[in-house]
Amino acid sequence: MDNWKDVDRPSGCFDDAVHALPGIGEKRAAALAALGIITIGDLLFHFPRDYRDRSVIQSIADVSPGTVVTIEGEVTSARSLRLRGGKSMALLTVSDDTGAIKVTLFGRGFLVHNALKKGTRCLFTGTASEYKGLALQNPEYEPATSGDDADKLHTGRIVPVYPLADGITQRGIRRWIFDALKRLTGAPPETLPATVLKQHGFPDVATGLRHVHFPPDMQSGKQARNRFAYEELLLMQCCILKRRNACVETAVGIQHVADGRLLDRLRHMLPFTLTTGQRRAVDDILHDMSAPRPMFRLLQGDVGCGKTVVALHAVAVAVDTGNQVAFMAPTEILAEQHYATLHTLLKPLGVRMALLTGATPNAGKVRNAIAGGDIQVVIGTHALFQKQTVFQRLGLVIIDEQHRFGVAQRDALGRKGVTPDILHTTATPIPRTLAITLYGGMDISVIDDMPPGRKPVKTVLTPEDKRDDLYQYIRTQVAAGQQAYIVCPLVEESEHFAQLTPLIDHYTELTEGAFAGLRMELLHGRLDPREKETIMMRFKAREIDVLFATTVIEVGVDSPTATVMVIEDAGRFGLTQLHQLRGRVGRGTTQSWCFLLGKPTTPEGRQRLDTVCRCDNGFDIAEADMKLRGPGDYCGSRQSGMLDFRVADLLQDVRLLDAARRDAADIIEKDPELTAPEHQPIARGIQRFNDMFT
């Protein structure tokens, strides 16, 4: 748990500062603070990231060079050798009944006078080598006491490996945690009900703490770790269900009419048939909107799957019922594109619409029309949730690419109506497990197919010596009536990123060289919003052959005749970002290509490029991206909705999450207010997650 104090832990030992432990002074306490460890309780909930099995002790005669071994023997010779700089090293010979091995410990010559003096019996773990006989260099070591094996910390057992900070060593943190465990008096209060512990075979909290740090075997360590990961997930799920129940009990939503005249006309007007995934999503949304409780749904779909058309059905239903719709996008370009798309389809149906962004002229006049109810559908950016924007009867809120808005921003827009229906959409594929956790309490619809005729974009790594061939290919595509994007990571040259391709310089070079005579334009975030809109519209109208851009086009520019995407310095982009950029092409029926240029500078960069070339499914891309970056980085800061887990891992704990969700539903159904004695620790423990959802 991120904060063990949120659960009913004992005072005293847990609340004591780490200074109370031997060997921790001001300097080491400051180093531990960098790990979030202030108290002994924090230290005990600083769990290992891995284990090393050093429990199997080999005879020296069985040791093979190149293998990691644990041996037990007597120090038969010990001497200290002085080194330059005042340091020294210990040179030992260790023997057992089968043979002898040389042991070298750099910087620790002093040990030959105490812990590793001649005649001492010790355990050593390290990688064996061969230099004038068998040798171990800088192994872990432990005196071989005749007492309890549990006193062994660094070898001769299953050894924990912890996340560290500067100034903290594995040996030091193991010793401090061991000492902290010995200070525990009595059993810490339990958070999980006895029925849950028995059902899953989890240890109680006291046993779990001992086994997670110093397990008697690997299985015990894994089960102890799972016990605390499950506890986090159960608390989070109980929090979600309590909040959702409260919303259902207190909120009376707008019961929309899902078979009105406008919806019927829209369906007959569409020049295509919805895909199976689109129809399923529309059915989910219309079912929610016709119910008495407010809709709270996330619509997920890959780039180009047709989420906007699905959302359009929700717009028609809301307007049919006499309500207003707010459609919020994260950027002006995307808001303008949504406005253009919706205006084309809704204007013939008589729907009154407006665009409201920071660049909207006569914004005050537009706001007056919204407040008076003259505008039925307003598409915009952050301007929609500003105080001066008032709705007469807001019945539906649609938030596109919702992870780009903070929780408070999303809630601010929802509060402008009386419990309006809320539909979040995203083209950023999020693994379902993470989506359920991030947007717990939301219903989720997934469009998992593409409109017919769409061909997967072919993605290839392009070596530098093929650049001229690539430019010639772009010219042939333009001659055939197609368009191309060239994306660069920087607008202008930077002394901090001298190795990266600057957009403006690249544009100038190709204008005067390989692309001379083609119609080209620049698009980046420094341009005036009106200028950006003009360029975007000209590209869509096929007045531009090659658009040079930064990632400003990641969401926002669609043209069915754009068939070539070139990404310079591709190894510097994230996996999901590469997939989003690639999604700007392939919007029509012609085969499209994405060319990745620039040799990656890191193994992770190479792995990203290999993955995006191999995979065209956004959800598979998302899973791979989260494995590379970790769930904590996947959706940015906590403001964007990311929960902070200390133990649980959303990739490896899928089964635990499913179990926690089922158990939470059972607990909340039987005891909605968590007032039963066995559930009161859960009620206290969910406060942290409740704060995150607020």
Side-chain angles (χ1 to χ4, degrees):
M1 288 165 290
D2 190 51
N3 186 352
W4 56 270
K5 296 174 186 173
D6 289 334
V7 183
D8 193 12
R9 304 295 187 200
S11 58
C13 171
F14 271 84
D15 288 334
D16 288 348
V18 288
H19 294 294
L21 295 174
I24 301 181
E26 293 293 335
K27 188 174 181 180
R28 284 174 174 163
L32 287 170
L35 293 169
I37 298 172
I38 307 298
T39 66
I40 290 177
D42 296 330
L43 182 65
L44 288 175
F45 279 90
H46 183 73
F47 287 171
R49 59 176 171 80
D50 200 0
Y51 298 100
R52 300 284 186 267
D53 190 348
R54 298 172 179 173
S55 61
V56 178
I57 300 174
Q58 291 182 237
S59 299
I60 292 175
D62 294 332
V63 171
S64 299
T67 60
V68 178
V69 298
T70 297
I71 63 166
E72 181 177 349
E74 181 181 339
V75 179
T76 53
S77 72
R79 67 188 182 93
S80 175
L81 179 65
R82 283 195 170 278
L83 303 173
R84 289 182 178 179
K87 294 185 178 181
S88 64
M89 66 178 177
L91 301 175
L92 313 174
T93 300
V94 178
S95 305
D96 66 7
D97 294 338
T98 68
I101 189 170
K102 297 182 184 300
V103 176
T104 305
L105 293 160
F106 292 97
R108 286 176 281 181
F110 63 90
L111 293 174
V112 304
H113 304 297
N114 44 63
L116 297 177
K117 64 185 178 181
K118 184 178 178 180
T120 304
R121 193 162 188 83
C122 294
L123 292 149
F124 296 90
T125 297
T127 301
S129 60
E130 191 168 23
Y131 176 71
K132 297 181 181 181
L134 287 173
L136 291 175
Q137 291 191 348
N138 285 333
E140 287 279 9
Y141 61 90
E142 191 89 46
T145 64
S146 58
D148 190 346
D149 284 346
D151 287 340
K152 299 172 184 173
L153 302 184
H154 315 297
T155 187
R157 63 167 306 127
I158 306 296
V159 176
V161 180
Y162 295 94
L164 299 177
D166 288 343
I168 303 297
T169 66
Q170 293 291 347
R171 293 180 68 84
I173 202 164
R174 286 181 202 132
R175 170 54 62 187
W176 299 329
I177 289 174
F178 183 75
D179 290 344
L181 286 168
K182 288 199 299 185
R183 290 170 66 95
L184 286 179
T185 55
E190 182 57 72
T191 302
L192 299 178
T195 53
V196 168
L197 293 175
K198 183 177 180 181
Q199 176 186 351
H200 296 291
F202 288 144
D204 59 56
V205 65
T207 304
L209 281 174
R210 291 195 301 271
H211 284 185
V212 79
H213 292 293
F214 300 105
D217 52 66
M218 284 291 196
Q219 183 58 33
S220 296
K222 179 180 179 181
Q223 191 70 344
R225 181 261 170 206
N226 285 349
R227 177 248 190 270
F228 291 106
Y230 168 90
E231 181 176 331
E232 281 191 310
L233 296 170
L234 181 74
L235 293 175
M236 181 266 296
Q237 290 295 322
C238 284
C239 175
I240 288 169
L241 292 175
K242 274 183 62 64
R243 288 177 62 85
R244 184 163 187 175
N245 286 351
C247 178
V248 170
E249 290 171 4
T250 59
V252 179
I254 300 167
Q255 209 162 348
H256 291 97
V257 177
D259 57 356
R261 176 172 167 270
L262 186 62
L263 178 62
D264 184 62
R265 290 180 62 195
L266 173 67
R267 284 171 162 164
H268 283 90
M269 186 187 69
L270 289 177
F272 50 82
T273 302
L274 297 182
T275 67
T276 300
Q278 288 173 326
R279 287 198 303 272
R280 188 171 57 241
V282 167
D283 289 344
D284 289 343
I285 290 168
L286 298 190
H287 177 269
D288 286 355
M289 294 185 72
S290 60
R293 82 172 173 88
M295 175 173 69
F296 193 43
R297 182 169 291 276
L298 172 68
L299 176 62
Q300 261 192 287
D302 212 343
V303 178
C305 72
K307 294 181 299 300
T308 303
V309 170
V310 170
L312 199 59
H313 287 69
V315 171
V317 169
V319 174
D320 261 332
T321 316
N323 293 288
Q324 292 172 295
V325 178
F327 195 130
M328 185 165 70
T331 66
E332 290 186 2
I333 286 181
L334 189 53
E336 290 157 359
Q337 182 166 295
H338 281 314
Y339 177 77
T341 300
L342 269 63
H343 191 264
T344 300
L345 294 169
L346 293 178
K347 185 178 180 182
L349 302 179
V351 177
R352 302 184 301 277
M353 300 177 60
L355 176 68
L356 183 61
T357 71
T360 299
N362 301 316
K365 185 177 179 181
V366 173
R367 286 190 169 96
N368 288 336
I370 294 170
D374 296 329
I375 299 298
Q376 295 168 299
V377 179
V378 56
I379 295 97
T381 55
H382 299 70
L384 294 183
F385 59 74
Q386 291 174 347
K387 288 183 179 180
Q388 57 266 46
T389 304
V390 178
F391 291 82
Q392 185 186 73
R393 183 178 167 83
L394 182 60
L396 173 65
V397 173
I398 301 173
I399 302 176
D400 192 33
E401 292 299 331
Q402 51 75 42
H403 64 283
R404 292 170 177 249
F405 296 98
V407 174
Q409 294 171 328
R410 300 196 300 257
D411 288 349
L413 182 55
R415 287 194 297 270
K416 289 184 176 291
V418 180
T419 61
D421 286 336
I422 297 178
L423 177 65
H424 295 262
T425 73
T426 182
T428 301
I430 303 168
R432 186 170 181 84
T433 299
L434 181 57
I436 290 170
T437 305
L438 285 174
Y439 314 116
M442 274 194 197
D443 297 304
I444 300 175
S445 293
V446 177
I447 302 176
D448 52 9
D449 51 15
M450 298 294 283
R454 292 277 177 90
K455 297 178 180 179
V457 178
K458 294 183 178 180
T459 306
V460 293
L461 287 172
T462 307
E464 188 64 29
D465 60 6
K466 297 293 183 183
R467 187 180 284 271
D468 290 342
D469 295 340
L470 172 58
Y471 293 158
Q472 184 57 43
Y473 174 73
I474 291 174
R475 291 195 73 101
T476 62
Q477 288 292 293
V478 170
Q482 308 300 326
Q483 297 169 287
Y485 297 97
I486 294 181
V487 175
C488 298
L490 300 176
V491 177
E492 294 180 298
E493 186 175 355
S494 167
E495 62 178 306
H496 301 293
F497 301 100
Q499 75 279 18
L500 298 184
T501 306
L503 179 70
I504 295 175
D505 289 355
H506 200 42
Y507 169 82
T508 302
E509 178 187 356
L510 291 179
T511 301
E512 299 170 353
F515 292 163
L518 300 185
R519 299 172 298 172
M520 295 184 289
E521 192 55 83
L522 282 167
L523 181 64
H524 52 79
R526 297 182 187 176
L527 297 177
D528 179 84
R530 294 295 99 196
E531 194 174 358
K532 285 188 287 186
E533 180 186 6
T534 300
I535 294 170
M536 178 184 71
M537 294 304 178
R538 286 177 55 214
F539 187 79
K540 195 165 186 176
R542 299 172 63 179
E543 297 174 7
I544 297 170
D545 298 321
V546 182
L547 183 61
F548 287 74
T550 58
T551 55
V552 70
I553 64 159
E554 183 182 348
V555 287
V557 181
D558 293 338
S559 175
T561 56
T563 58
V564 180
M565 168 65 69
V566 178
I567 304 177
E568 297 281 354
D569 305 305
R572 300 300 295 261
F573 295 92
L575 243 181
T576 301
Q577 195 170 40
L578 288 169
H579 182 64
Q580 293 277 51
L581 289 169
R582 176 173 59 182
R584 295 305 102 203
V585 298
R587 316 288 288 194
T589 57
T590 304
Q591 179 61 61
S592 295
W593 292 80
C594 178
F595 299 96
L596 307 178
L597 292 168
K599 187 176 182 180
T601 57
T602 64
E604 292 80 6
R606 177 73 195 193
Q607 190 174 350
R608 285 196 297 272
L609 299 190
D610 289 343
T611 300
V612 81
C613 288
R614 184 181 69 251
C615 180
D616 60 19
N617 180 282
F619 295 97
D620 293 339
I621 290 280
E623 293 285 356
D625 199 14
M626 200 165 77
K627 287 178 183 177
L628 283 171
R629 291 199 277 163
D633 294 332
Y634 190 81
C635 285
S637 68
R638 184 179 300 176
Q639 186 187 21
S640 297
M642 187 64 215
L643 296 182
D644 182 21
F645 291 105
R646 183 138 190 189
V647 186
D649 183 312
L650 295 174
L651 287 176
Q652 72 179 50
D653 294 329
V654 175
R655 292 183 179 178
L656 285 178
L657 178 57
D658 287 341
R661 190 181 303 115
R662 290 193 299 269
D663 293 344
D666 184 57
I667 290 170
I668 297 299
E669 182 181 1
K670 294 176 181 176
D671 184 13
E673 298 304 318
L674 298 174
T675 54
E678 67 271 23
H679 295 153
Q680 288 178 14
I682 293 178
R684 290 188 288 271
I686 66 175
Q687 184 57 47
R688 176 171 66 95
F689 295 100
N690 191 57
D691 291 342
M692 288 185 181
F693 283 118
T694 301

